[in-house]
Amino acid sequence: MIESLFIAVNCSNKHTNAGECEKWAAEGECQINRVWMPENCRKSCHMCGKSVVVITTTHEPDYSRLKSVSLYP
């Protein structure tokens, strides 16, 4: 089963110097540093809007259908 959950994302730069975020984004840091930049310079990286979280679940396996196999005769 797959469920999608849309979460509103705050559209701002968390970094204390927004000018640095703009400079780094213009230099391609949003693609180079894909962990830190979107978290700290979200607005400059144009990563505002809604975020999608996909949740997948699997059913418990049915062990009753497994056969016992002997490794040694």
Side-chain angles (χ1 to χ4, degrees), residues 10 12-15 17-48:
N10 182 7
S12 63
N13 292 326
K14 288 183 182 178
H15 186 59
N17 187 335
E20 284 184 333
C21 282
E22 292 294 328
K23 181 182 96 149
W24 293 330
E27 293 171 352
E29 284 296 321
C30 298
Q31 289 77 29
I32 296 167
N33 192 349
R34 294 182 182 197
V35 175
W36 192 89
M37 284 294 288
E39 179 66 26
N40 295 284
C41 298
R42 181 175 299 280
K43 185 175 181 181
S44 297
C45 288
H46 306 287
M47 295 187 163
C48 300

